Structure formats: structure tokens, C-alpha cells
Amino acid sequence: DAGVIQSPRHEVTEMGQEVTLRCKPISGHNSLFWYRQTMMRGLELLIYFNNNVPIDDSGMPEDRFSAKMPNASFSTLKIQPSEPRDSAVYFCASSLGQGEAFFGQGTRLTVV
Amino acid sequence: KNQVEQSPQSLIILEGKNCTLQCNYTVSPFSNLRWYKQDTGRGPVSLTIMTFSENTKSNGRYTATLDADTKQSSLHITASQLSDSASYICVVSATDYKLSFGAGTTVTVRA
């Protein structure tokens, strides 16, 4: 398996634009997590899906952020409209239940 | 509030030397504790995962300990190599799946 695949690896966008980050979890994993990492705040859990259903989205900073998981092999994290303070590295991770979580390479987002 | 505190924030060691990283947590109810290694520009990679009943777990030159009574864990790196330079993150999982992350310890190994 190629592991958790995220795209794009880097994204630079202007303030106010819509940004969509994509994630393909490891096949067979039933849990998917979206994280955000910044120097100031470290790793923060944004949202957690189990069997494609959002279980906890309390970490989503505000209504500008939304996440979907239409099927077991694909998830998106959307920011609309984007703001400079959204600049961070966004990680997607997947696991089988409470087993080891495997992280993707991350998407480095820069909003100018 | 569940918290995970790591120390030191950063450290520099010479190649071949040993070092120990600390993690204290207040997460409850406890499920497991994980140590991740994160190289610059890459996603975290799991080194060890320990449950309540496990005291020690090794992965090559990495040895993690867990004292569930005092809620402390340590990660010991033996005979450090240049490739050990990374950020090491302690992650504690509660029984409801929620993960609490430490801020990480940045290790720099110098030749």
C-alpha cells in the first residue's frame, strides 16, 4: 500500500479564495483524521471520521472549514473563504479503529 | 482538560550519545500512549504504542517506558545517529479515541 496520500503537497492561494485539500486513506482503514500543524499551536485535531461518518468536528476552527468523506477511500477538507491565519501544514491520517495512525505527507498551505 | 507536557523543548547531542525525552500527561481515561518521530517536512511516523499494562517497548534504538501510575513516559534514544534529528511527539489517546498531543521535543544530533 502506498500509505495515506494527500494532495496537493503545496498550495499557495490568495486571501478569500476557496481551498480544497484531498486525502486518500490506507485501504481497509475505517478511521480518518484531519490535523493542522503550526509552529505556535503544534498538531491540532480538526475532525474525525469513523466509517465515513463525521464523529467529532469540535476542532474545526470555524464555519469556513468543512470536511467530507463521500466514501471509504476519499476525503476532502475545504476552506472557504481562506484567510492568512489558515496558513499551516494540514495532515490527514488513517487508522483501523484505535490502532496506529498513519499520517500522510501533509499539504503546506500558504494564504497570502 | 487533557494535557500532554513534553520536556525538554529541544536538545542537542553528539552523534553516538544517548538521550532521554520526557512526557507527562493528565489524559483520562487513558487508552494508550504513542511516540511519533517527525522529520522536517514530513508527516509523523509512529515509533511505539503502549497500553496501560505495558511498561517498556523497544523499536530498534528507541526504547519507550510508561508509568501509568505517575502518568509519565520517556523515550530513550541509544547511540544516536544523524538521522535521529527530528521532532519527537508524545500522543496520548483517551478511551473515546480522542488524541492529545504534546508540543514535541526537537532533537538535533551533531557529528
Side-chain angles (χ1 to χ4, degrees):
Chain A
D1 198 310
V4 176
I5 300 174
Q6 291 186 246
S7 64
R9 288 296 310 276
H10 303 274
E11 177 81 33
V12 180
T13 189
E14 291 186 343
M15 182 174 65
Q17 296 298 306
E18 177 180 295
V19 175
T20 299
L21 312 181
R22 296 172 176 79
C23 175
K24 181 180 186 304
I26 292 174
S27 177
H29 282 187
N30 62 350
S31 297
L32 184 140
F33 308 82
W34 280 101
Y35 294 93
R36 177 172 67 177
Q37 187 175 39
T38 61
M39 288 292 292
M40 291 294 294
R41 302 172 69 91
L43 269 166
E44 301 174 281
L45 176 65
L46 300 177
I47 187 169
Y48 158 64
F49 290 88
N50 184 252
N51 293 323
N52 312 339
V53 176
I55 302 300
D56 184 357
D57 64 355
S58 59
M60 298 285 261
E62 47 197 277
D63 292 345
R64 297 184 297 106
F65 286 68
S66 63
K68 295 182 180 180
M69 192 165 185
N71 56 62
S73 60
F74 184 66
S75 177
T76 61
L77 177 67
K78 184 177 294 185
I79 308 173
Q80 166 63 20
S82 58
E83 296 182 4
R85 61 194 169 112
D86 300 331
S87 297
V89 180
Y90 290 81
F91 287 104
C92 175
S94 72
S95 70
L96 183 61
Q98 281 224 30
E100 179 183 347
F102 292 83
F103 284 75
Q105 297 281 42
T107 295
R108 181 174 294 278
L109 173 65
T110 303
V111 182
V112 298
Chain B
K1 179 182 177 182
N2 290 331
Q3 286 191 320
V4 179
E5 301 286 341
Q6 289 188 244
S7 63
Q9 186 175 29
S10 63
L11 65 91
I12 300 172
I13 57 173
L14 293 177
E15 188 177 15
K17 298 298 185 181
N18 305 333
C19 68
T20 300
L21 317 179
Q22 300 291 341
C23 174
N24 298 334
Y25 63 92
T26 60
V27 175
S28 181
F30 175 85
S31 176
N32 60 63
L33 184 146
R34 315 161 189 214
W35 283 94
Y36 282 87
K37 177 187 179 187
Q38 185 175 21
D39 293 312
T40 302
R42 304 182 73 87
V45 175
S46 179
L47 293 175
T48 64
I49 178 170
M50 290 188 293
T51 58
F52 184 88
S53 59
E54 295 175 297
N55 300 120
T56 303
K57 184 166 280 190
S58 293
N59 178 0
R61 295 178 297 101
Y62 300 100
T63 299
T65 66
L66 173 65
D67 185 334
D69 292 330
T70 62
K71 299 187 176 181
Q72 295 179 325
S73 176
S74 67
L75 180 69
H76 187 75
I77 305 175
T78 302
S80 60
Q81 299 177 359
L82 297 179
S83 59
D84 293 330
S85 295
S87 179
Y88 292 83
I89 304 170
C90 176
V91 183
V92 183
S93 174
T95 53
D96 61 352
Y97 77 81
K98 289 185 178 179
L99 301 180
S100 297
F101 291 84
T105 294
T106 300
V107 174
T108 303
V109 181
R110 290 186 174 164

